[in-house]
Amino acid sequence: MPHTPSTDRRNFLKAAAATGVAAPYWAPCWASSAAAQPAGESAPSDRPLLGAIGVGGRGSMIARDAARYGAIVAAADVDSRNVGRFQKSIEERGAAAPEGYKDYRRVLERKDIDAVTIGTPDHWHTKIAIEAMQAGKDVYCEKPLTLTIEEGQLIAKAVRQTGRVFQVGTQQRSDGRFQTAVALAQSGRLGEIKRVWVAIGGGRSGGPFEVAATPATLDWDMWQGQTPDVDYRTNRCHRDFRWWYEYSAGKLTDWGAHHVDIAQWGVGLLDTSAVSVAPLSVNHPVKFKDGYPTAADRYNTATKFRIDCRFAGGVEMRLANAINEPDRGINFGNGVLFEGTKGRVFVNRGKVTGTPVEELKENPLPEDALQVVYKGRKPKQHMADFFDCLKTREEPVSDVFSHHRILSTCHLAALALRFGRSVSWNPETEQVEGDPQVAAMVSRPQRAGYELPKV
């Protein structure tokens, strides 16, 4: 149902976006102190009211960041320990503890809440995000946005239908290093770019893990959500969920959501996905049959991998846990390397290097170069961009539509590894071509009671 915020909160959104200060040019977006209050912050009565859904680990971090710009009045998590810790952290900052819930739907039912942060494990993002938009809430959701390609299609459709503001947590788009690398790549200073190298680190191996008693504070059935009902093992849950295909795709959608995003952004391919994905090598902790792991008591996502991704127009992206090409003088474990006919630029969260970067001293980019790649707006801290867009109703820098496209490349890479064969993809129809078995994995069955909402 449509939601009409109070006059005070609407006036805040219509007022100046003086709710934050852009991070220093080279400062990573995540380096800002969550405790610091932005200059020019509105009075408490004028701040939008927020709900935080999923407040363990990373979810609590993004919610505390959002608390710099709005007042968090509700928090939900299927583990009451997370809610308690989060409430205490808000109180320690001098604010009232938000109302705590186990069921996120209680947050969405509240008419006073304008926007929500979503920091749950990946397999819960889509259901909560769509239901939040349908309840009239704007959304900031951590990456990777989806568990499957179909989920990305559904979220994109929901954004179009509801007109809500939706920022994805790919914070590297708000980092000066990555913006500079993208601006150089798009400016022609590297010449024609035909290849991008992307290293995202390796996954974990572990197990076998014993069945354990479910903690009294945790609703294990709800934590599993749409995924198959299995016995509780400590290492299936919370921070370790990333290493199970049931809930994620390991490093391919974890760091891949960041670095593949930068790679496709730099070569101007945010509106499409790879047309072919070929596994060159892969190590899994368990054996696979028909795309599914054959053991349920140990991590199952890929630990090492090399994947060749091709795009229409001839651009090739080599995606791996680490890049080691001695004949090309390339060796790195995390980052993105743009290779053009006139030069190379390497970027990660610690640096941006290469001859074109050194030449900036004598031949700087145009003054508005970073603003151009930042959708025509002055670059700012990632959460600040979201709150600015609540006011302007503009599309945030990390929009749902481009994230869905780049994440489709990551999902396709994971499927290629799971089946051990190349996958062909039609970005126009968004369908796997010539392989019904892989095509069936673009979506997944949902457990009764936790189905995705209709859009």
Side-chain angles (χ1 to χ4, degrees):
M1 294 178 62
H3 170 52
T4 303
S6 69
T7 301
D8 282 345
R9 294 189 301 278
R10 182 55 64 199
N11 286 342
F12 166 82
L13 298 180
K14 289 182 178 179
T19 52
V21 179
Y25 178 73
W26 290 117
C29 51
W30 48 86
S32 58
S33 170
Q37 293 298 321
E41 186 178 78
S42 300
S45 62
D46 293 332
R47 305 173 76 200
L49 301 187
L50 311 174
I53 300 174
V55 290
R58 181 63 184 161
S60 66
M61 292 175 65
I62 63 170
R64 288 195 299 269
D65 194 15
R68 301 170 62 207
Y69 308 97
I72 297 186
V73 297
D77 197 289
V78 295
D79 192 330
S80 60
R81 292 174 300 180
N82 290 339
V83 174
R85 285 191 288 259
F86 181 71
Q87 289 173 316
K88 182 178 179 181
S89 73
I90 294 298
E91 285 184 313
E92 288 173 346
R93 298 177 61 211
E99 190 74 24
Y101 304 94
K102 181 169 284 189
D103 191 331
Y104 72 93
R105 290 172 291 187
R106 304 292 82 82
V107 175
L108 301 186
E109 289 170 355
R110 290 183 52 161
K111 298 295 190 291
D112 59 333
I113 291 177
D114 301 298
V116 297
T117 62
I118 301 174
T120 65
D122 304 353
H123 64 286
W124 264 107
H125 287 174
T126 298
K127 182 173 174 62
I128 296 172
I130 293 176
E131 290 176 357
M133 288 186 283
Q134 292 175 341
K137 319 299 184 189
D138 295 317
V139 176
Y140 182 106
C141 186
E142 254 307 291
K143 62 82 218 168
L145 188 55
T146 65
L147 183 65
T148 68
I149 293 175
E150 180 192 47
E151 290 186 4
Q153 297 166 344
L154 292 174
I155 288 183
K157 185 177 180 181
V159 172
R160 293 188 183 99
Q161 286 181 350
T162 64
R164 305 317 303 176
V165 173
F166 198 126
Q167 175 85 295
V168 183
T170 43
Q171 298 90 354
Q172 289 181 170
R173 289 200 192 183
S174 296
D175 184 292
R177 286 174 285 256
F178 294 98
Q179 293 162 6
T180 298
V182 168
L184 285 168
Q186 293 186 0
S187 70
R189 296 196 183 190
L190 308 186
E192 184 180 13
I193 300 174
K194 284 295 186 179
R195 177 169 289 182
V196 187
W197 307 82
V198 179
I200 57 177
R204 293 183 186 175
S205 59
F209 304 115
E210 298 295 328
V211 173
T214 305
T217 59
L218 174 66
D219 186 337
W220 174 238
D221 183 76
M222 192 169 188
W223 188 97
Q224 294 177 93
Q226 63 169 294
T227 67
D229 184 18
V230 298
D231 291 327
Y232 174 79
R233 290 177 168 85
T234 304
N235 294 81
R236 287 190 80 100
C237 192
H238 292 334
R239 68 179 61 190
D240 292 317
F241 81 89
R242 182 74 62 205
W243 316 116
W244 304 83
Y245 274 125
E246 291 87 338
Y247 319 120
S248 178
K251 279 297 182 74
L252 287 168
T253 51
D254 180 26
W255 272 94
H258 285 302
H259 283 349
V260 172
D261 181 63
I262 298 301
Q264 290 192 210
W265 188 17
V267 295
L269 294 174
L270 286 181
D271 61 347
T272 189
S273 308
V275 296
S276 69
V277 179
L280 304 179
S281 63
V282 60
N283 289 352
H284 277 121
V286 301
K287 292 183 179 180
F288 275 68
K289 181 179 180 181
D290 296 326
Y292 287 92
T294 58
D297 62 353
R298 63 200 69 203
Y299 297 146
N300 56 40
T301 59
T303 56
K304 295 181 180 181
F305 45 86
R306 293 171 59 247
I307 308 162
D308 184 44
C309 306
R310 303 292 178 104
F311 294 82
V315 174
E316 176 185 350
M317 180 176 69
R318 183 62 52 83
L319 175 61
N321 61 285
I323 301 294
N324 185 11
E325 300 284 339
D327 58 328
R328 293 175 175 265
I330 300 174
N331 186 0
F332 60 96
N334 182 283
V336 180
L337 176 70
F338 295 100
E339 184 176 23
T341 55
K342 295 181 180 179
R344 297 172 173 174
V345 166
F346 174 80
V347 62
N348 64 17
R349 293 186 181 182
K351 59 186 178 182
V352 54
T353 60
T355 300
V357 178
E358 297 167 3
E359 292 173 346
L360 289 175
K361 296 177 181 178
E362 301 296 330
N363 183 23
L365 287 164
E367 289 186 5
D368 65 345
L370 302 193
Q371 184 171 322
V372 168
V373 300
Y374 207 78
K375 296 189 176 179
R377 302 192 297 271
K378 183 179 179 180
K380 56 183 69 70
Q381 195 260 4
H382 203 64
M383 189 65 75
D385 181 60
F386 174 58
F387 279 85
D388 279 357
C389 290
L390 295 187
K391 166 189 171 264
T392 64
R393 311 311 294 177
E394 291 181 285
E395 185 179 81
V397 68
S398 289
D399 62 278
V400 161
F401 309 107
S402 61
H403 181 77
H404 164 56
R405 292 295 191 172
I406 71 94
L407 197 56
S408 293
T409 299
C410 299
H411 283 311
L412 292 167
L415 291 175
L417 295 185
R418 291 176 65 166
F419 285 92
R421 59 180 181 260
S422 298
V423 175
S424 295
W425 177 253
N426 187 325
E428 301 301 320
T429 63
E430 293 196 75
Q431 293 181 343
V432 172
E433 296 184 330
D435 195 328
Q437 191 177 36
V438 176
M441 297 285 280
V442 168
S443 62
R444 294 192 193 180
Q446 288 116 42
R447 193 159 59 100
Y450 295 100
E451 298 90 347
L452 298 175
K454 294 185 181 300
V455 179

